[in-house]
Amino acid sequence: MSHSSNHGKSPFELNQDQLNCLRYYDLISKNNDLKKLAERVSADFQSQTLSPNDMTTIENVDQESKNLFSEILQKSNESKPVVIYMDGVFDIIHSGHFNAIRQAKKLGDILLVGVNSDEEVHKSKGPTLMNTAERTILASACKWADKALEGTPYTPTIELLDKVGADFGAHGDDIAPNENGVDCYQAIKDKGRMKIFKRTSGVSTTELLGRLLRAVESQDEKKSNEKEEIQSTPILSNFLTTGWRLNQFSSNKLPKTGQKVVYLDGNWDLLHVGHIDILEKAKSKGDFLYVGVFNDSLIQKEMGRHYPIMNMQERVLNILALKYVDDVVIGCPWIITENMMDSLNIDTVLSLTNKKDSHLIQTHPRLEIPKKLNKLEFLYSEYSDDNQFLIDRLKSNKAEFIRKYNIKSIKESNYYINAKQPSEI
Ligand code: CTP
């Protein structure tokens, strides 16, 4: 996972060069010829560390490419793309957040996703389960985010929009009050530089926090003697996965002839930085990555009745929103068969290991067939794919999380009572 740094500036500020890179990247990603050229010319260009300005001065770039890039430069100056700044906490990232990022991207050409700093969030909303750096890695892994800006303020200002080069701010149709109870976006709204999209019903950090707290509560041998108890959820909405929603999230593509198809399955419950590391590595092993998502009863059998915290539809949408993933296998089989590998044209089955020494790696019986076919490859990651560390964090600050849940769940149900139902984009 790479992280860019801005020397001597607040981490979320972008300089003009970085903004230019995003602009050109946007232009190129919409044009197949330019995309091919960019691929040929420079990996740095694709990773947005170089702009076409730099390109014209690099020695190993041929004249034809230089000319083409000059042309792009001219065109892009003629039609300036609209830059959107959408921010949030994105704690326990979920399909509502990803759907918000998807909608915000549609409001312009380039999407900057601001990730509020821990300090700011703690003041206005209470503790987070994941810290700023982790939340930023998760938001930047979303395929609709052009860039995630780490550690942004909870209340954005016009100056902030100008500093990051954004034309508009964007947020869901729920009001986000600051620590003084005032709408965080009022100043931006007053200047006509705010765009609003539809909040996704039935999924929220609060809802997931409630599920986690209840799971922890009923697992604990000795019942907690916390002063505050988890209130029953007054929320009136369920998350509904429609075909339309799946279609919005899907990349809608098949592997092309000659592409190397790799496959990795898992639970993918409560997305965390370990998952992103694993998926990024998995994608680097081939051209097309299928990610298998186990069904709920299978996970329950393996891990106990409180798991998974996110149901299969929620986990599938999360995985589809990530830029390393080409497609998912929904409710994938536990045992990998030759038939399954044939039907998806899988060249290599990947399996996670925390062991560096290959002699110590043991193959799970469910992977015997790919192993026998010599189509099994181990993927090393220092991270584990389980989420016990999140449960431990929750337990270590349980009283505060319960307090946050009780306050936020009432606010959220008020939102549902008052919400108008504009359509999504
Ligand atoms: N959002 C959304 N649908 C949801 C949850 C969040 O559209 N179900 C949007 C918010 O409107 C905001 C962005 O996602 O524009 C980031 O939300 P965030 O600041 O993380 O906080 P919350 O709105 O509080 O999310 P949650 O209620 O899940 O804590």
Side-chain angles (χ1 to χ4, degrees):
M1 279 174 283
S2 56
H3 246 311
S4 59
S5 67
N6 290 290
H7 307 284
K9 302 177 91 187
S10 314
F12 57 84
E13 281 180 44
L14 292 181
N15 62 34
Q16 200 50 45
D17 279 352
Q18 288 168 312
L19 254 179
N20 277 341
C21 292
L22 284 173
R23 285 174 53 191
Y24 301 125
Y25 188 74
D26 178 65
L27 200 79
I28 286 173
S29 62
K30 285 180 184 155
N31 180 317
N32 264 338
D33 289 341
L34 299 186
K35 227 191 298 188
K36 274 188 217 134
L37 187 71
E39 271 162 25
R40 205 178 83 208
V41 174
S42 160
D44 283 344
F45 185 79
Q46 293 174 69
S47 66
Q48 306 175 24
T49 56
L50 277 181
S51 77
N53 283 330
D54 303 320
M55 201 60 67
T56 50
T57 58
I58 308 177
E59 278 171 17
N60 63 357
V61 176
D62 58 52
Q63 194 54 44
E64 186 201 344
S65 308
K66 283 183 184 175
N67 292 345
L68 192 46
F69 275 111
S70 309
E71 217 177 287
I72 307 170
L73 208 69
Q74 217 177 335
K75 269 196 209 154
S76 88
N77 285 334
E78 283 160 15
S79 57
K80 187 185 167 301
V82 175
V83 180
I84 301 288
Y85 172 80
M86 179 249 187
D87 67 345
V89 183
F90 307 107
D91 196 28
I92 325 183
I93 204 158
H94 52 69
S95 53
H97 290 138
F98 288 128
N99 199 32
I101 299 176
R102 181 187 69 75
Q103 293 186 79
K105 170 73 178 175
K106 283 196 157 182
L107 296 170
D109 301 300
I110 295 172
L111 178 63
L112 306 174
V113 178
V115 180
N116 304 152
S117 72
D118 288 339
E119 297 71 31
E120 295 265 321
V121 179
H122 290 187
K123 269 191 286 176
S124 305
K125 270 189 165 176
T128 55
L129 211 53
M130 299 188 199
N131 63 37
T132 320
E134 293 170 326
R135 291 182 284 108
T136 308
I137 289 171
L138 287 155
S140 35
C142 175
K143 63 184 173 187
W144 298 293
D146 291 301
K147 188 151 188 83
L149 310 178
E150 180 175 340
T152 56
Y154 192 71
T155 301
T157 56
I158 288 288
E159 291 72 35
L160 177 83
L161 289 192
D162 291 340
K163 211 173 338 184
V164 300
D167 301 292
F168 296 98
H171 193 269
D173 61 353
D174 50 311
I175 304 283
N178 65 17
E179 53 191 307
N180 306 315
V182 178
D183 180 354
C184 286
Y185 299 92
Q186 198 53 52
I188 299 177
K189 285 177 181 168
D190 290 345
K191 293 279 179 203
R193 284 176 66 180
M194 192 69 196
K195 290 188 183 266
I196 303 293
F197 52 80
K198 173 91 186 86
R199 184 182 167 91
T200 309
S201 298
V203 55
S204 69
T205 302
T206 307
E207 160 70 20
L208 293 168
L209 187 59
R211 289 187 211 170
L212 259 169
L213 282 167
R214 288 192 185 90
V216 165
E217 192 91 323
S218 43
Q219 275 169 336
D220 268 354
E221 300 272 296
K222 42 180 182 9
K223 278 275 166 239
S224 73
N225 44 9
E226 309 290 353
K227 286 196 201 80
E228 199 150 7
E229 294 204 339
I230 311 165
Q231 305 295 320
S232 61
T233 323
I235 294 173
L236 318 154
S237 177
N238 286 316
F239 182 64
L240 304 167
T241 314
T242 56
W244 181 84
R245 167 85 65 239
L246 279 170
N247 193 38
Q248 295 301 310
F249 273 55
S250 165
S251 306
N252 283 318
K253 58 182 178 187
L254 282 171
K256 295 194 185 98
T257 318
Q259 284 194 318
K260 181 178 176 190
V261 179
V262 292
Y263 175 80
L264 176 67
D265 56 19
N267 296 346
W268 317 111
D269 195 18
L270 302 173
L271 270 190
H272 56 70
V273 286
H275 291 139
I276 304 300
D277 180 60
I278 295 160
L279 290 168
E280 185 178 5
K281 285 177 178 153
K283 174 68 181 185
S284 74
K285 296 285 181 188
D287 306 303
F288 192 102
L289 172 63
Y290 275 117
V291 176
V293 181
F294 293 128
N295 73 31
D296 297 338
S297 55
L298 213 150
I299 297 175
Q300 222 172 61
K301 237 194 285 167
E302 283 287 303
M303 301 187 62
R305 70 189 170 92
H306 301 292
Y307 293 94
I309 300 293
M310 290 175 165
N311 68 36
M312 185 174 72
Q313 290 91 316
E314 292 168 329
R315 291 180 285 116
V316 162
L317 288 172
N318 283 350
I319 290 295
L320 280 175
L322 302 178
K323 62 184 171 196
Y324 306 113
V325 178
D326 294 290
D327 205 355
V328 289
V329 182
I330 303 173
C332 63
W334 177 243
I335 295 172
I336 297 183
T337 62
E338 193 165 357
N339 180 278
M340 170 194 168
M341 291 172 68
D342 284 346
S343 42
L344 293 174
N345 279 321
I346 295 169
D347 294 293
T348 304
V349 172
L350 301 167
S351 176
L352 181 69
T353 179
N354 296 121
K355 299 195 167 60
K356 273 190 169 147
D357 186 345
S358 57
H359 298 293
L360 297 175
I361 304 175
Q362 282 193 345
T363 309
H364 194 283
R366 70 185 192 85
L367 301 172
E368 274 311 319
I369 290 177
K371 186 185 177 194
K372 213 166 71 196
L373 296 171
N374 219 3
K375 289 186 167 187
L376 179 67
E377 198 178 320
F378 286 97
L379 205 59
Y380 172 78
S381 173
E382 67 200 59
Y383 294 99
S384 153
D385 64 347
D386 82 17
N387 41 38
Q388 187 54 43
F389 74 99
L390 291 173
I391 311 271
D392 294 341
R393 283 184 196 177
L394 187 87
K395 282 183 175 170
S396 70
N397 197 9
K398 199 164 141 204
E400 274 298 296
F401 280 113
I402 292 179
R403 227 171 70 81
K404 176 179 180 180
Y405 172 76
N406 287 343
I407 295 170
K408 284 272 295 162
S409 62
I410 291 170
K411 283 191 183 158
E412 187 162 318
S413 80
N414 285 340
Y415 161 78
Y416 285 119
I417 292 164
N418 298 318
K420 299 187 195 77
Q421 296 294 326
S423 346
E424 279 186 25
I425 32 175

